[in-house]
Amino acid sequence: MTLNKITFFERFEKDILSGAKTITLRDETESDYQVGKVYPVSTFEDDRWFCDIKVLNVEPVLFEELNELHAEQENMTLPQLKQVIQEIYPGITQLYMINYQLV
């Protein structure tokens, strides 16, 4: 499946626009982003566009391997990050880290 945009919960918009959030962790259904490609970014809740990002890297990461660096790149603490991931993807073990920059 070719992905042509990426969505984030509205609560992350400020962090993305400020550059404080530079990665996103997704499940396998949202892992097929192409490195080097620019994607429009919209809010998950109402599909409102708010910026464009360029994908720098996509790599697999296990939930149990999440560390302080991942949390820092998500602009939260490690316990917060693990809680958010479990809320969005209950019981997930395999994630994909998408590293991006604003364009």
Side-chain angles (χ1 to χ4, degrees):
M1 178 173 98
T2 302
L3 302 169
N4 57 11
K5 73 174 180 179
I6 189 165
T7 60
F8 288 88
F9 291 113
E10 286 179 345
R11 67 183 188 242
F12 299 124
E13 181 176 355
K14 186 175 138 190
D15 286 348
I16 294 165
L17 293 175
S18 73
K21 179 174 166 56
T22 59
I23 67 167
T24 184
L25 296 161
R26 303 294 172 113
D27 69 3
E28 189 173 5
T29 66
E30 291 186 272
S31 65
D32 197 25
Y33 288 98
Q34 295 178 346
V35 173
K37 186 170 177 183
V38 174
Y39 292 91
V41 179
S42 300
T43 56
F44 176 78
E45 291 84 351
D46 60 8
D47 200 32
R48 176 181 48 81
W49 175 89
F50 64 90
C51 72
D52 292 324
I53 59 169
K54 180 178 182 179
V55 173
L56 303 176
N57 192 26
V58 179
E59 63 184 53
V61 62
L62 294 173
F63 179 82
E64 65 190 30
E65 294 175 348
L66 292 177
N67 60 41
E68 294 293 340
L69 179 58
H70 295 114
E72 182 181 318
Q73 292 171 311
E74 286 271 14
N75 197 35
M76 54 183 83
T77 67
L78 187 55
Q80 286 173 322
L81 175 59
K82 288 186 171 189
Q83 180 181 346
V84 167
I85 294 296
Q86 285 300 314
E87 288 170 3
I88 298 170
Y89 306 114
I92 195 164
T93 57
Q94 178 66 64
L95 295 158
Y96 292 83
M97 180 182 73
I98 301 165
N99 183 271
Y100 60 84
Q101 69 181 25
L102 282 173
V103 294

